[in-house]
Amino acid sequence: MRTDLLLHSANELLTLAGGPQRGRRLGDLGIIPDGAVAVDRGSILAVGPSSTLRHRFQAETEIDCRDRVVLPGFVDSHTHAIWAGDRAAEFEMRLQGRTYMEILEAGGGIMSTVRATREAPTALLTDLARTRLERSLAHGTTTIEIKTGYGLDLATELRLLEVCLRLDEAGPPRVVPTFLGAHAVPEEYRGRTDKYVALVSDRMLPEVQRWWSDQAPGRPLPFVDVFCEEGVFDLDQSRRILTSALALGFPVKIHADEFVFLGGASLAADLGATSADHLLETPADEIRRLAQSETVGVLLPATPFGLHLDARPSVSAFLEADGLLAIASDLNPGTAWCESMQMTIALACRSLALTPAQAIVAATINGAAAVGLAARTGSLEAGKRADIVVLDAPDHRHLGYRFGTNLVSRVIQGGQLVI
Ligand code: NIG
Ligand code: FE
């Protein structure tokens, strides 16, 4: 039988077959030694031993993956990849002892990126983000979630959603958009958080819904996210925004317990959120409640690393209680300018005590679950999109074990060789 593409002779082919992996089952890579994968018209046709597939398929293009690992493209399920300016000066201030929240309260932090982003033309924002996405792709990310949230007024927030759509059209990588109008309280609403919450809930969300059906007809609505944090949006304000979003048909996510425990993880579980992210300060009993829900817990180990904080999420309590765990980069200019899921895996092995196999599952099929795409990407199984990475390493443990160099030798997205 003829086919477009055949990757064969992989030392290890990681299929990650069988769907997202909960709790203690996390870490089943479904390894086929001397494995092969056949691709046709953008989708995976078959996976199996090289001897079988090379016999069955005559491919237009064959790639010999001897001494290499073949695995699904990474799904980076939490980023803030569209912004202008940078915060190198704040990084230095933090090294000298100022905290992230002090800088935000003094009008810096997210607010300084908001000022730069509002001023930047859409074309410039697109170019800046495009460069970041190219680096993510080069490091193996084939699907990336991107949040708005550096506009904080309707016009700029819609421009950021427009950038998401443009980046997706121009892809790879594939972009999953999230509306984060509630990322911070903008300067013009300082001291009037409730008014801003009402604006987001009652005006912005319906406008986003209208704009979306106009600009992206037929495409599912973006996610809606909230930064639920002391000094930003409290639990009631977060509930108000997310409840309004759900009523309009948006799927939801939440930034929960990043600096202070407020109860965002339980709110996510109660509302049926697709994911609850960060969870650095979530106590073990709340973590167990989240674990028993359908909500994915997304951990972002580059963030405490980027902030040089010692806080750690309760990973073992979450897994013991059968939670669904993903990891993501949190790519953003303030806490974690990290475009590499390989680096995220290396950090997860050290600071979250995941094995390389567990971290790889969390960065692929479970990451896909965190953006509602587990049926389409995140594993190498017949019928799924051909989003595939070839690593210049002999076994999967080199992910995690090694860090700071790019191990990717090829990236295939939707059947096309893109790196
Ligand atoms: O996930 N916590 C809120 N959002 C980002 C940081 C954004 C910023 O500092 O610009 C985060 O860490
Ligand atoms: Fe974030």
Side-chain angles (χ1 to χ4, degrees):
M1 188 177 169
R2 73 147 296 287
T3 185
D4 290 341
L5 175 66
L6 183 73
L7 293 102
H8 65 81
S9 311
N11 202 34
E12 294 182 338
L13 183 103
L14 316 182
T15 64
L16 289 101
Q21 298 176 22
R22 299 193 76 96
R24 285 291 161 208
R25 283 184 35 236
L26 182 71
D28 180 4
L29 296 175
I31 300 178
I32 302 177
D34 192 9
V37 50
V39 172
D40 200 52
R41 280 166 292 164
S43 299
I44 295 171
L45 206 53
V47 290
S50 292
S51 52
T52 317
L53 264 64
R54 290 187 86 178
H55 191 73
R56 259 177 75 196
F57 296 104
Q58 269 77 55
E60 204 114 303
T61 310
E62 287 203 5
I63 301 178
D64 188 335
C65 300
R66 190 170 318 191
D67 299 326
R68 302 208 153 147
V69 175
V70 173
L71 74 160
F74 299 123
V75 179
D76 192 348
S77 57
H78 181 138
T79 86
H80 309 249
I82 310 171
W83 76 84
D86 71 60
R87 309 236 293 273
E90 289 180 9
F91 171 58
E92 211 165 48
M93 283 162 72
R94 286 203 313 271
L95 293 176
Q96 286 152 4
R98 301 280 301 278
T99 70
Y100 177 81
M101 287 313 261
E102 275 166 21
I103 295 170
L104 178 61
E105 276 149 27
I110 294 173
M111 298 321 301
S112 79
T113 302
V114 168
R115 286 189 289 275
T117 304
R118 283 179 174 179
E119 276 169 23
T122 308
L124 173 64
L125 291 169
T126 310
D127 286 348
L128 290 168
R130 180 78 221 140
T131 308
R132 296 170 197 136
L133 263 53
E134 279 166 6
R135 285 191 287 256
S136 296
L137 181 75
H139 286 84
T141 297
T142 51
T143 301
I144 187 167
E145 185 259 15
I146 302 181
K147 301 174 199 297
T148 68
Y150 293 120
L152 308 186
D153 59 47
L154 182 63
T156 315
E157 287 291 315
L158 291 179
R159 287 203 295 132
L160 298 178
L161 279 178
E162 186 191 329
V163 174
C164 286
L165 290 174
R166 281 196 194 165
L167 292 168
D168 187 50
E169 275 159 28
R174 206 170 279 111
V175 174
V176 179
T178 295
F179 174 74
L180 180 56
H183 193 195
V185 181
E187 245 127 52
E188 52 291 7
Y189 280 85
R190 218 159 205 238
R192 298 186 299 143
T193 304
D194 278 326
K195 285 261 178 320
Y196 187 66
V197 169
L199 177 76
V200 172
S201 308
D202 304 338
R203 287 222 27 234
M204 285 196 192
L205 288 174
E207 287 291 343
V208 168
Q209 190 197 40
R210 253 192 300 282
W211 182 90
W212 192 264
S213 59
D214 222 53
Q215 300 294 315
R219 191 174 165 147
L221 283 170
F223 287 98
V224 169
D225 194 344
V226 176
F227 188 15
C228 178
E229 185 61 50
E230 191 172 86
V232 191
F233 300 101
D234 67 22
L235 195 65
D236 284 339
Q237 291 162 338
S238 302
R239 184 185 291 111
R240 163 121 201 252
I241 291 164
L242 296 180
T243 309
S244 305
L246 287 166
L248 291 167
F250 292 96
V252 302
K253 293 174 164 280
I254 187 167
H255 280 67
D257 308 328
E258 180 176 355
F259 296 98
V260 175
F261 164 63
L262 287 188
S266 292
L267 177 63
D270 292 347
L271 294 179
T274 305
S275 73
D277 303 35
H278 286 290
L279 310 172
L280 287 173
E281 299 294 341
T282 314
D285 56 328
E286 295 268 327
I287 268 285
R288 280 186 213 105
R289 215 168 132 198
L290 179 68
Q292 279 144 24
S293 75
E294 289 305 308
T295 302
V296 182
V298 179
L299 305 183
L300 308 161
T303 306
F305 177 75
L307 290 170
H308 44 103
L309 289 178
D310 294 326
R312 297 285 179 266
S314 310
V315 177
S316 54
F318 189 68
L319 292 180
E320 288 308 333
D322 211 32
L324 187 52
L325 182 152
I327 57 172
S329 70
D330 199 18
L331 167 59
N332 76 79
T335 64
W337 190 331
C338 172
E339 286 132 339
S340 168
M341 285 299 282
Q342 294 175 63
M343 181 68 187
T344 304
I345 288 170
L347 290 169
C349 291
R350 289 162 184 80
S351 67
L352 307 178
L354 298 184
T355 64
Q358 290 176 319
I360 291 167
V361 175
T364 54
I365 187 66
N366 285 12
V371 291
L373 288 178
R376 301 171 72 182
T377 191
S379 64
L380 304 182
E381 295 176 90
K384 280 191 136 179
R385 286 173 184 158
D387 297 340
I388 307 170
V389 163
V390 183
L391 283 188
D392 192 4
D395 96 63
H396 69 272
R397 292 170 301 189
H398 283 236
L399 274 175
Y401 165 46
R402 293 163 65 178
F403 54 93
T405 43
N406 187 0
L407 298 178
V408 164
S409 78
R410 290 177 196 266
V411 179
I412 289 145
Q413 146 105 35
Q416 301 295 314
L417 187 61
V418 290
I419 300 280

